């Protein structure tokens, strides 16, 4: 199953051939580009060291094995965005109070020194909450619970060589209040030029 964003362009067809080859091994649940892990920052409304972004497949271009995805879905996982708040065991009251404080930015940026003893570690990090972007739950389940493989280059470094991505153009068109994306006005000229020069198509 090949997934590609509506605002993405494949620049090198060899990338799809390579992905198909990687899927020959049944132990591979997907391939493409990996995205994350990383700390969230001010763009997401909190200071560094509070929210953590787990690794996932870069959803703008990825190939997935349907049978493994169905297995993850049957186990209760989802492609949906999800936020897992800090679980401050052994105190349920502390956990609830801390999670409520995350909605207040000044408080969320203030980590109580004693709170570290309650934090659960993820990949050696101790965030106050985990932000699972689209597909991250599926990815984490198949990689770490089912011990399957994802074959991918880090998206931050390599995706631009193989995929042109007008980040969030479709999303911004549907939701004018979404600011974490490019707008159609910003990229329309570039798109028109590529349609004419590369594909010989005039609007």
């Amino acid at each position: 199953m090949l997934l590609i964003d509506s605002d993405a362009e494949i620049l090198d067809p060899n990338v799809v051939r390579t992905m198909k080859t990687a899927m020959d091994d049944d132990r591979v649940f997907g391939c493409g580009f990996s995205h994350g892990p990383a700390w969230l920052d001010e763009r997401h409304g909190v200071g560094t060291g509070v929210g953590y972004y787990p690794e996932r497949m870069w959803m703008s271009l990825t190939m997935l094995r349907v049978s493994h995805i169905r297995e993850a879905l049957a186990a209760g996982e989802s492609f949906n965005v999800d936020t897992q708040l800090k679980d401050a065991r052994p105190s349920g009251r502390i956990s609830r109070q801390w999670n409520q404080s995350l909605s207040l930015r000044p408080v969320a940026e203030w980590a109580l020194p004693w709170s570290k003893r309650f934090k659960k570690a993820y990949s050696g990090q101790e965030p106050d909450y985990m932000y699972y972007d689209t597909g991250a739950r599926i990815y984490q389940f198949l990689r770490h619970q089912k011990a399957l493989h994802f074959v991918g280059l880090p998206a931050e470094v390599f995706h631009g060589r193989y995929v042109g991505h007008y980040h969030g153009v479709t999303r911004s068109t549907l939701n004018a209040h979404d600011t974490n994306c490019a707008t159609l006005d910003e990229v329309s000229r570039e798109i028109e030029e590529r349609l004419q020069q590369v594909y010989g198509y005039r609007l």
Side-chain angles (χ1 to χ4, degrees):
M1 173 175 63
L2 179 67
L3 302 179
I4 180 170
D5 268 6
S6 58
D7 51 12
E9 175 192 5
I10 296 176
L11 304 177
D12 184 348
N14 288 318
V15 69
V16 177
R17 298 189 188 101
T18 301
M19 292 163 72
K20 291 176 67 177
T21 300
M23 297 296 287
D24 287 343
D25 193 315
D26 290 339
R27 296 170 297 178
V28 173
F29 73 86
C31 56
F33 302 90
S34 59
H35 192 203
W39 286 101
L40 301 179
D41 55 27
E42 286 75 10
R43 293 173 300 173
H44 304 91
V46 295
T48 302
V50 178
Y52 199 65
Y53 185 100
E55 185 176 347
R56 64 169 187 150
M57 55 286 219
W58 189 62
M59 294 298 296
S60 298
L61 179 67
T62 189
M63 187 174 289
L64 302 172
R65 191 179 304 279
V66 173
S67 58
H68 290 326
I69 299 303
R70 285 176 174 168
E71 182 180 7
L73 294 173
E77 302 301 333
S78 170
F79 278 98
N80 291 341
V81 173
D82 184 33
T83 300
Q84 179 179 317
L85 299 177
K86 174 183 171 181
D87 187 6
R89 291 187 176 92
S91 172
R93 183 172 64 86
I94 293 176
S95 181
R96 288 191 297 273
Q97 290 177 343
W98 183 265
N99 293 334
Q100 289 171 1
S101 75
L102 289 175
S103 63
L104 304 174
R105 180 171 178 174
V107 179
E109 294 177 347
W110 175 59
L112 296 174
W114 50 263
S115 71
K116 288 186 177 293
R117 75 183 64 180
F118 298 118
K119 291 185 179 181
K120 183 178 179 181
Y122 300 89
S123 302
Q125 307 296 334
E126 294 184 340
D128 293 296
Y129 72 94
M130 301 282 284
Y131 177 75
Y132 291 87
D133 206 346
T134 305
R137 283 283 191 186
I138 298 283
Y139 182 98
Q140 292 292 317
F141 174 81
L142 294 175
R143 280 274 286 115
H144 301 295
Q145 294 191 42
K146 305 305 293 185
L148 296 170
H149 300 286
F150 183 85
V151 180
L153 296 170
E156 292 85 348
V157 179
F158 289 103
H159 90 262
R161 303 183 188 183
Y162 305 99
V163 186
H165 184 226
Y166 302 100
H167 175 66
V169 168
T170 303
R171 193 155 30 89
S172 69
T173 303
L174 296 174
N175 180 9
H177 300 292
D178 193 333
T179 58
N180 185 28
C181 51
T183 66
L184 187 58
D185 290 339
E186 293 171 337
V187 301
S188 58
R189 182 174 179 81
E190 180 181 347
I191 293 173
E192 289 178 10
E193 289 178 352
R194 286 197 59 77
L195 286 172
Q196 294 176 18
Q197 297 172 8
V198 179
Y199 300 100
Y201 181 81
R202 290 185 176 275
L203 296 177

